[in-house]
Amino acid sequence: MKKQLLVFIALIFITILAACGSNDSNAEESGDNDAAGQDGNKEIEKLSIGFVPSREPEEIITATEPLKELLSEELAVLGYEVKEIDITVGTNYEAVGEGLSAGTIDIGLIPGGTYVLYDDGAEAVLTATREGLSIESDNAKDWNDNKPTEPVTDLVTSYRALIIAGPSEKGQELAEKVNNGLELTFDDINRASWGVMSSSSPAGYIYPALWLNENYDQTITDLENVVQVDSYGSAFARMAEEQLDIMVTYADARRDNADSWEADFNRDASIWDETNVIGVTPPIYNDTISVSKNSEMMDDDLKAAIQQAFINIGGTDEGKEVISIYNHLGYQEAEASDYDDERNAQEMVKSMK
């Protein structure tokens, strides 16, 4: 009887030790999970996203606010718990490129031209897709004869830049000449006031500079009256006030500013009635989503997660609404070589200075 009691006590002792060991193991496992974040996800304190000011900054900030939650949810599924997502709009295109190069911005939604200019510190991981347009012609008069420009269902990975004349007396003079099938001389356009974007903007500077070079063996720096504006919205506002005769912009910019033209810029007639195309550039490869090569947290796994997260976001109705601020409809994986034409264009612009 005494022997059976000793065996029983020994069994109880072994059971207690096993339970303690199990609890210690569970505690260690729990501690590991706390370090890794919820559900074993890797924790990121803050992820910063920079947008270029191709629209009014406040408009971009408001429209992209839902992106914070959408991106956070997608990254959580892909293994990352992001505590804070910060969205800013750069004072100009270069500010976002410089932020990516410095590692102070982790993700940038930037044009191909800005990416190429800063590709020592930025890596394009996605290219945006957009709706095609009802007009796809090298001839400026075709854009005027068939306006307004309308979207089509086909998705494209490139777009045109347009040189647009406004409602000023000089702007109308230039438009009339083009619409009558006459060639503009360099003297014609040199006497006009121009609004351009910063020098890394493909549609707002680089490709219009190429257009000038191809047609007149001149470039933007050769024009006598050029103003750099901080956004396309500002350029349209100044054109509506007849402070600018000509502005350069992406091909569907008038669609984006059609309501503002009359409601905010106080014009009596529509933007289609009062503006005309006087020049068309070759196709430009679409915007990028680029990541910083110098961000402390950026590695191949996070880059892959960011790629997939934005592709997923672009595949939902809610996500499409957010990215429509840039006329993006979705994203596909990018290669650095996709932007080789852009690199060649920038080299040509540099050689023309």
Side-chain angles (χ1 to χ4, degrees):
M1 188 71 178
K2 184 184 291 185
K3 185 176 181 180
Q4 288 177 338
L5 180 60
L6 289 173
V7 171
F8 179 70
I9 291 171
L11 288 172
I12 291 174
F13 184 68
I14 291 169
T15 302
I16 291 170
L17 286 176
C20 289
S22 176
N23 288 338
D24 289 342
S25 176
N26 289 338
E28 289 174 7
E29 188 175 324
S30 176
D32 289 343
N33 281 340
D34 288 343
Q38 186 178 2
D39 298 326
N41 284 356
K42 182 177 180 180
E43 281 190 1
I44 294 176
E45 286 293 326
K46 183 178 179 181
L47 200 60
S48 60
I49 304 176
F51 287 83
V52 295
S54 60
R55 302 282 287 269
E56 289 299 323
E58 285 303 319
E59 185 182 0
I60 294 172
I61 291 292
T62 301
T64 58
E65 178 65 25
L67 179 61
K68 295 178 182 180
E69 183 176 354
L70 292 175
L71 184 57
S72 180
E73 290 174 352
E74 289 294 339
L75 288 175
V77 174
L78 295 165
Y80 291 89
E81 182 184 344
V82 183
K83 292 186 176 181
E84 179 185 355
I85 293 179
D86 180 53
I87 292 178
T88 58
V89 179
T91 53
N92 53 37
Y93 288 45
E94 286 80 1
V96 183
E98 288 167 3
L100 288 167
S101 288
T104 56
I105 294 175
D106 303 305
I107 303 170
L109 278 80
I110 57 176
T114 308
Y115 153 63
V116 167
L117 191 63
Y118 292 95
D119 64 359
D120 58 334
E123 178 181 350
V125 294
L126 292 168
T127 295
T129 57
R130 302 171 183 247
E131 288 179 327
L133 294 176
S134 56
I135 306 170
E136 179 61 31
S137 173
D138 296 317
N139 189 328
K141 187 174 183 298
D142 290 340
W143 291 77
N144 301 330
D145 290 343
N146 296 286
K147 57 186 180 182
T149 308
E150 300 288 355
V152 296
T153 55
D154 294 341
L155 297 184
V156 295
T157 55
S158 64
Y159 62 102
R160 303 278 188 154
L162 301 178
I163 295 87
I164 295 176
S168 67
E169 182 178 352
K170 180 62 178 176
Q172 292 297 297
E173 174 192 321
L174 297 173
E176 182 178 1
K177 195 169 181 180
V178 168
N179 289 335
N180 285 330
L182 303 175
E183 294 286 336
L184 295 176
T185 66
F186 183 70
D187 186 57
D188 287 331
I189 59 174
N190 193 37
R191 288 186 287 111
S193 58
W194 285 64
V196 304
M197 300 294 286
S198 58
S199 60
S200 73
S201 169
Y205 193 99
I206 295 171
Y207 279 75
L210 287 174
W211 177 82
L212 284 166
N213 183 252
E214 290 172 355
N215 288 277
Y216 305 105
D217 198 27
Q218 305 286 340
T219 187
I220 287 175
T221 54
D222 296 312
L223 296 168
E224 292 181 0
N225 191 1
V226 177
V227 175
Q228 183 177 315
V229 291
D230 58 5
S231 70
Y232 291 119
S234 296
F236 276 111
R238 297 184 69 161
M239 179 175 275
E241 292 173 358
E242 302 185 19
Q243 296 175 0
L244 296 175
D245 303 312
I246 296 171
M247 66 173 286
V248 295
T249 186
Y250 57 98
D252 45 357
R254 287 183 294 177
R255 291 179 53 232
D256 292 339
N257 290 272
D259 292 338
S260 296
W261 186 258
E262 296 173 70
D264 300 328
F265 306 154
N266 302 314
R267 298 300 303 187
D268 294 329
S270 78
I271 197 169
W272 304 105
D273 291 333
E274 295 202 292
T275 65
N276 286 274
V277 177
I278 62 171
V280 184
T281 75
I284 307 167
Y285 218 74
N286 278 353
D287 295 344
T288 76
I289 293 181
S290 294
V291 298
S292 172
K293 294 179 180 179
N294 298 314
S295 166
E296 292 181 358
M297 71 188 73
M298 198 62 63
D299 56 22
D300 289 342
D301 289 339
L302 181 55
K303 281 189 290 187
I306 289 169
Q307 277 183 317
Q308 192 59 54
F310 273 99
I311 289 172
N312 293 348
I313 288 168
T316 67
D317 291 339
E318 188 178 3
K320 280 184 169 62
E321 184 175 351
V322 173
I323 64 178
S324 67
I325 186 69
Y326 280 166
N327 296 317
H328 297 177
L329 284 182
Y331 300 100
Q332 64 182 36
E333 291 188 17
E335 298 288 344
S337 59
D338 293 337
Y339 293 89
D340 283 347
D341 285 345
E342 188 70 41
R343 291 181 177 85
N344 295 335
Q346 290 202 20
E347 287 302 316
M348 288 180 66
V349 170
K350 288 177 186 176
S351 69
M352 292 185 290
K353 291 181 180 179

